[in-house]
Amino acid sequence: MPLNRRKFLGTSAASGVGLAVTGAAVAPSAARAHGRPPRREKRYSFTVLGTTDLHGNVFNWDYFTDKEFDDKDHNDVGLAKISTLVNEVRKEKGHRNTLLIDAGDTIQGTQLSYYYAKVDPITAKRGPVHPMAQAMNAIGYDAAALGNHEFNYGIPVLRKFEEQCDFPLLGANALDAKTLRPAFPPYFMKRMRTPHGRDVRVAVLGLTNPGIAIWDKANVQGKMVFPGLEEQAAKWVPRLRSMGADVVIVSAHSGSSGTSSYGDQLPYVENAAGLVAEQVPGIDAILVGHAHTEIPEYFVQNRATGKKVVLSEPLKWGQRLTLFDFDLVWEKGRWTVEKAGARVLNSNTAAEDKKITRLLVDEHRKVVAYVNQVIGTSKAAMSTAEGPYKDVPIIDLINEVQKETVAGALQGGAYAALPVLSQASCFSRTARIPAGDVTIKDAAGLYPFENTLEARLLTGAQLKEYLEFSARYYVRTPAGAPVDPAKLTNAENTPDYNYDAVSGVTYEIDVAKPVGSRIVKLSFGGKELDPKAEFVLAVNNYRASGGGNFPHIAGAKQLWANSEEIRNTIIGWVKAKGTIDPDQFASVDWKLTRDGTPVF
């Protein structure tokens, strides 16, 4: 895959006159002794603004609820709000004293991004320009790192998006599988003009997530490989310094915790930003992404140099904007970073930039009309509100669709006689199916991710271990102690999407017991589960490929796989049935207990 040389080389054009010019006098007494006026220190300040995990959010709008976005913390989302914050900072600092970068996961996540990947795809002949490209071009991004979700729609969609962007997509550790050369520009270099003659050369190194090799195996296998962030940073940072970079910033689509969700399937760390700061000398700051957490400012000491590297992660979806402020001083014939710090701005303090909303109003209206198409009716209202701690019909609906789809696919084959089980997670606690008309947005809201469906072969013993691992999601709660549902889940920061409920067997989860011994009364067909019995598990590709690090599933025999997204399978199922009747599929297959007594 040839590099785009224009984007690879970046821009070396002069970028304006700096405003921060002040400095203290150097050795004034000595200067007076020689009859010379005191010299002034040469100083320059600039700011790097950063976003991450935008996930297709331009407007402050929730396409699944068809209204303005809101959450319990009253966050707002979208590039239209980020644009306003960026304009304010540029006005304060001077436009030419700022850079704007992103840390990845840009073109997946909302129905707006889905529509222009699948319904009216940007890859079509004379196809549209992606809304995220339009918005980011209009705001004036300088560079963006690749996120793992950039690969969800396949490499052709990503390449078309790259072509439509006026800025480079960076991925120093996204390599062509055959040549092992960078498949995307590794870095971006920009000169910041100062009032002192010598420009400040700022390099941005982009790093993406090695987990792409697992999570999007179907799209990248044999085409690209993704080595570890630390390895590639150690390769590129010295090169950037030798090329004259005065400041090196890493934009990393990788969290800072040093953990991985894919276990030992890859020899690389998923959330490696902190390790990069610790192990690789020569980095001044890291814009962190991927983890969907908020880190205004965090310092990591480099082991080799003792220098502190500043890290910051702005919250997802355009809810925050990171500001890295750099103060430089001219010493010994070069610019040196004297001080670097970070902070975040909250986008809920800003109005949407009308320039951005006007630019994309037609695209927004098309998607709103699309998601409001009626595809069927429901005999009862269903909600995921209690899904994390109760077996609710709306999760049973997902499992029913998956079981029917897999059973149909295996019909007439060698595994047709095996019982089909299904796993599903509560991806959103606000998803709902109303009584009456059901629209695309209602059905799609159950499955906000682009996961596809697979069938894997498990034994009864493996299934029990799978369920035990899933049950670590609950906080251990002694029998008789008060139970607060809000404090019962997400033990050890396990996200909702990494708790699986399995349909087709019955079991209890005893939350009074320690992790690893919570699954009791596990049965199939009214009888105790046979550890040697074989089952087909309908499972999403994220889980099947190791996402969440559940035991056995990644190494289990694959019996079937589908390329269609599960949410589209759900939409198609509702269209085909016409009517959703919970009485036909809803049942209480699992429940939480304490010493045999139900929690709810």
Side-chain angles (χ1 to χ4, degrees), residues 179-200:
T179 66
L180 297 183
R181 294 177 179 174
F184 294 86
Y187 66 89
F188 165 82
M189 186 91 76
K190 186 167 183 177
R191 292 175 179 266
M192 312 290 284
R193 177 156 292 179
T194 78
H196 305 298
R198 169 73 150 74
D199 295 343
V200 171

Side-chain angles (χ1 to χ4, degrees), residues 220-254:
V220 301
Q221 188 174 32
K223 299 173 183 175
M224 293 185 193
V225 294
F226 303 87
L229 283 83
E230 308 99 305
E231 168 193 325
Q232 293 300 301
K235 173 182 177 180
W236 283 100
V237 170
R239 291 189 186 184
L240 295 173
R241 289 293 184 183
S242 68
M243 291 164 61
D246 301 298
V247 182
V248 173
I249 301 159
V250 173
S251 183
H253 193 75
S254 180

